[in-house]
């Protein structure tokens, strides 16, 4: 018997290398395995659109991948929740033969996330120290930065950097044995070994050998190391053995060593080498990260959209990436364009209520008024002199460009003007942006102000 998840993970690994990252993230990985019935592997899609897209584009690939690893499974079906009614239970385990050479039992040798490389890691003020020491460690494990301790809030790149070290070492020092693990996994394995030790005296020895024979040990999220005597004792000895043998240790945590609730002798050891922290990235770095992610997605996302995203997520890169994903997948699902503001705003709306500051027409008008040093009253008045009419047209243009609201609403805001006035303003300003570099610069400055707040 193999676990359904194991089956699915094997298929995913097989498929992953054959589709674009975007297709993988947006379509394939959103399917859920249900079970194997009559030699057919059933997958669940949450929406009809996903079902259709997968059926049209990826079904043959899924079929091939599945049958390569599980020769008796000859078909794949994607179903919706309501179509599952006939299938009585969701299976946790399935009984199918596997092709030995293709099946990965447990993914024991550490596999590093392919995209988590130094090349894909954008360096800015907030993370340059951490990136530099990680690179130095990857180039010369067991050198002068040992142990290396990195801490930061969530979603700021710690795990990415650990995998980057792993990928680098694997490529440049393939002879070095490297393990990446989380403190939870370490704890679980240890507990498992201790339990098995009752029957098999070699079990704990195997565990020890595994961890104490490496050249580079990376442990992620050390704050979750079980605070029990056995675990701490075992970890302490692993740490010491490796350290004494000049093997490299890299440890990550969501807080600095002195704040970790763990016995003192370990805390002081964590702090024995180099400690580096990562801070939330500044606006420019966030934009650069988004550009990199968009390129990896083969998506040409406009600067306006990137700025809106960067403006929304200031303290967590994972969240920011999630928002980019959401916008692109939203566009794909509705068959729209991810640079279309109405798609963007729809995705943002779904994204959540914790977004205090939604870009509003007020914000646009305020920024424009400030820029041209006029008041809001003047802006929405009937005055037609150029000093006011021009900024007004720019504000109308920006409202049209950046907000998903109807022309009529914009007209209402500007003192009850007809929607054709808004269209006229938009046309005239877009024309001027093309022909007059002065106007282009002004519009850009105001946009910067609006989107950077
Ligand atoms: P942490 O482990 O600190 O919680 P992760 O390493 O999981 O954070 O990072 C979350 C996501 O943000 C990952 O997809 C990672 O690739 C991305 N990320 C974070 N910082 C950067 C950066 N400087 N450049 C590129 N991607 C980044
Ligand atoms: Mg992490």
């Amino acid at each position: 018997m193999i676990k359904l998840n194991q089956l699915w993970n094997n298929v995913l690994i097989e498929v992953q290398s054959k589709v674009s990252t975007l297709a993988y993230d947006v379509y394939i990985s959103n399917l859920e395995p249900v079970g194997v019935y009559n030699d057919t592997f059933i997958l669940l899609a949450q929406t009809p659109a996903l079902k259709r897209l997968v059926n049209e584009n990826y079904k043959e690939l899924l079929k091939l991948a599945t049958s390569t690893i599980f020769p008796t499974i000859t078909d794949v079906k994607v179903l919706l929740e309501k179509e599952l009614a006939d299938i009585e239970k969701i299976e946790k385990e399935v009984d199918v033969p596997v092709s030995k050479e293709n099946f990965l039992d447990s993914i024991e040798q550490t596999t590093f996330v392919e995209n988590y490389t130094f090349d894909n890691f954008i360096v800015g003020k907030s993370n340059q120290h951490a990136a530099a020491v990680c690179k130095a460690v990857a180039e010369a494990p067991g050198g002068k930065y040992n142990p290396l301790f990195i801490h930061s809030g969530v979603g700021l790149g710690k795990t990415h950097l650990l995998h980057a070290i792993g990928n680098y070492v694997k490529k440049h020092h393939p002879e070095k044995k490297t393990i990446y693990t989380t403190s939870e996994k370490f704890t679980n394995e240890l507990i498992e070994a201790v339990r098995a030790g009752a029957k098999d005296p070699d079990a704990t020895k195997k565990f020890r050998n595994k961890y104490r024979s490496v050249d580079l040990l990376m442990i992620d999220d050390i704050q979750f190391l079980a605070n029990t005597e056995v675990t701490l004792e075992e970890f302490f000895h692993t740490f010491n053995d490796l350290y004494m043998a000049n093997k490299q240790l890299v440890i990550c945590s969501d807080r600095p060593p002195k704040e970790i609730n763990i016995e003192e002798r370990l805390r002081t050891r964590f702090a024995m080498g180099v400690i580096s922290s990562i801070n939330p990235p500044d606006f420019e770095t966030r934009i650069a990260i988004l550009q990199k992610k968009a390129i990896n997605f083969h998506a040409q996302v406009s600067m306006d959209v990137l700025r809106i995203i960067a403006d929304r997520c200031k303290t967590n890169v994972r969240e920011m990436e999630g928002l980019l994903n959401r916008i692109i997948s939203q566009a794909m699902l509705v068959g729209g364009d991810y640079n279309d503001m109405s798609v963007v705003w729809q995705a943002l709306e779904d994204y959540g209520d914790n977004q205090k500051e939604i870009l509003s027409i007020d914000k646009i008008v305020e920024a424009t008024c400030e820029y041209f040093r006029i008041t809001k009253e003047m802006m929405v008045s009937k005055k037609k002199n150029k000093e006011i009419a021009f900024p007004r047209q720019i504000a109308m243009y920006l409202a049209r460009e950046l907000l998903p609201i109807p022309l009529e609403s914009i007209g209402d805001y500007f003192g009850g003007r007809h929607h054709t006035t808004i269209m006229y303003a938009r046309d005239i300003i877009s024309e001027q942006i093309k022909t007059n570099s002065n106007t282009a610069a002004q519009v850009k400055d105001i946009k910067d102000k609006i989107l950077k707040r």
Side-chain angles (χ1 to χ4, degrees):
M1 290 293 250
I2 57 167
K3 297 206 169 64
L4 188 62
N5 258 341
Q6 237 180 335
L7 188 157
W8 182 222
N9 285 339
N10 268 277
V11 174
L12 283 177
I13 290 172
E14 183 79 17
V15 170
Q16 191 171 24
S17 56
K18 304 202 167 59
V19 298
S20 71
T21 321
L22 183 62
Y24 181 82
D25 284 354
V26 176
Y27 306 132
I28 314 287
S29 68
N30 278 321
L31 298 168
E32 288 166 44
V34 177
V36 178
Y37 301 89
N38 302 329
D39 300 334
T40 300
F41 184 22
I42 310 281
L43 292 164
L44 172 69
Q46 290 302 345
T47 62
L50 182 62
K51 176 183 167 178
R52 178 174 51 79
L53 282 156
V54 172
N55 272 331
E56 280 170 11
N57 304 296
Y58 305 104
K59 186 160 159 185
E60 289 309 310
L61 194 66
L62 283 165
K63 228 160 99 173
L64 185 68
T66 310
S67 60
T68 308
I69 313 168
F70 308 97
T72 55
I73 308 179
T74 49
D75 200 6
V76 171
K77 259 207 177 90
V78 182
L79 299 179
L80 294 170
E81 190 92 51
K82 59 175 193 268
E83 296 167 324
L84 290 182
D86 307 340
I87 294 170
E88 278 168 11
K89 58 175 188 357
I90 307 283
E91 294 184 3
K92 285 269 178 316
E93 292 197 331
V94 286
D95 193 7
V96 290
V98 300
S99 144
K100 282 246 156 42
E101 77 226 55
N102 295 314
F103 182 70
L104 297 169
D105 191 1
S106 65
I107 300 157
E108 195 52 85
Q109 77 280 35
T110 311
T111 45
F112 298 106
V113 177
E114 218 176 289
N115 282 330
Y116 286 0
T117 58
F118 286 116
D119 283 346
N120 282 338
F121 192 80
I122 302 293
V123 178
K125 259 208 202 77
S126 60
N127 58 24
Q128 64 190 14
H129 182 258
V133 285
C134 284
K135 190 72 191 283
V137 159
E139 282 165 356
K144 57 182 174 177
Y145 302 113
N146 200 21
L148 171 57
F149 190 101
I150 299 171
H151 66 95
S152 80
V154 289
L156 293 179
K158 298 182 295 298
T159 300
H160 185 133
L161 282 173
L162 293 189
H163 282 260
I165 295 175
N167 279 316
Y168 189 96
V169 170
K170 212 166 143 189
K171 184 164 169 203
H172 294 90
H173 316 284
E175 74 291 352
K176 294 221 187 282
K177 193 168 164 205
T178 304
I179 290 187
Y180 162 90
T181 188
T182 62
S183 56
E184 280 163 313
K185 194 162 169 246
F186 183 88
T187 307
N188 287 342
E189 273 181 45
L190 177 63
I191 293 170
E192 198 58 43
V194 171
R195 191 179 298 145
K199 279 190 229 135
D200 169 11
D202 282 345
T204 43
K205 214 192 271 169
K206 270 190 218 146
F207 175 85
R208 271 191 197 144
N209 284 345
K210 172 176 169 187
Y211 283 103
R212 296 190 197 170
S213 64
V214 299
D215 299 298
L216 165 59
L217 176 62
M218 299 187 274
I219 303 201
D220 210 347
D221 292 326
I222 197 78
Q223 71 273 12
F224 296 130
L225 192 68
N227 219 340
T228 64
E229 210 183 310
V230 185
T231 313
L232 294 179
E233 190 66 20
E234 190 62 39
F235 183 72
F236 183 71
H237 289 297
T238 307
F239 187 101
N240 278 349
D241 283 3
L242 292 175
Y243 183 71
M244 296 311 283
N246 279 332
K247 304 299 188 189
Q248 180 73 48
L249 288 138
V250 186
I251 295 157
C252 283
S253 174
D254 66 349
R255 62 200 84 164
K258 61 176 187 301
E259 288 172 25
I260 299 180
N261 179 20
I262 209 168
E263 52 182 40
E264 186 60 25
R265 59 176 182 162
L266 267 173
R267 213 180 297 142
T268 46
R269 272 173 175 72
F270 292 162
M272 223 152 51
V274 178
I275 302 177
S276 187
S277 66
I278 306 177
N279 293 313
D282 57 24
F283 187 80
E284 278 69 32
T285 310
R286 297 205 295 282
I287 290 285
I289 293 172
L290 284 168
Q291 282 174 320
K292 191 88 192 177
K293 302 284 173 191
I295 290 172
N296 283 344
F297 276 171
H298 303 291
Q300 270 138 17
V301 183
S302 75
M303 194 46 104
D304 284 352
V305 175
L306 296 184
R307 281 169 162 171
I308 287 174
I309 301 170
D311 187 46
R312 284 318 185 74
C313 306
K314 298 192 170 74
T315 56
N316 183 333
V317 177
R318 181 176 309 119
E319 212 172 280
M320 189 170 80
E321 210 180 328
L323 196 48
L324 176 67
N325 263 329
R326 181 179 272 282
I327 289 169
I328 296 176
S329 54
Q330 170 90 12
M332 296 200 138
L333 288 174
V334 301
D337 173 358
Y338 41 70
N339 288 323
D340 172 350
M341 285 296 160
S342 64
V343 171
V344 173
W345 289 101
Q346 180 60 47
L348 288 179
E349 207 165 278
D350 297 346
Y351 168 66
D353 321 312
N354 59 346
Q355 300 303 314
K356 301 165 273 341
E357 269 204 73
I358 301 275
L359 180 57
S360 63
I361 200 163
D362 259 335
K363 226 172 141 186
I364 293 175
V365 167
E366 247 169 53
T368 316
C369 284
E370 213 174 279
Y371 187 86
F372 288 105
R373 297 175 196 283
I374 60 173
T375 65
K376 195 181 149 195
E377 285 69 41
M378 295 172 177
M379 178 73 91
V380 302
S381 70
K382 302 277 174 220
K383 292 209 171 76
K384 286 204 168 78
N385 47 322
K386 193 162 179 289
E387 293 71 32
I388 294 169
F390 180 62
R392 184 186 293 133
Q393 284 180 328
I394 288 190
M396 289 172 171
Y397 163 85
L398 287 170
R400 184 64 196 146
E401 280 290 290
L402 299 176
L403 298 173
I405 55 180
L407 288 168
E408 286 75 10
S409 312
I410 303 178
D412 285 348
Y413 184 97
F414 286 92
R417 286 180 155 85
H418 197 252
H419 71 265
T420 48
T421 311
I422 312 297
M423 275 160 68
Y424 177 71
R426 186 204 51 199
D427 292 347
I428 216 162
I429 298 296
S430 10
E431 192 51 39
Q432 282 195 31
I433 289 174
K434 283 186 216 135
T435 53
N436 181 335
S437 58
N438 207 5
T439 307
Q442 286 174 324
V443 171
K444 183 175 172 298
D445 285 346
I446 299 169
K447 223 184 214 174
D448 279 353
K449 265 176 134 174
I450 297 167
L451 298 177
K452 240 188 188 176
R453 287 179 192 210

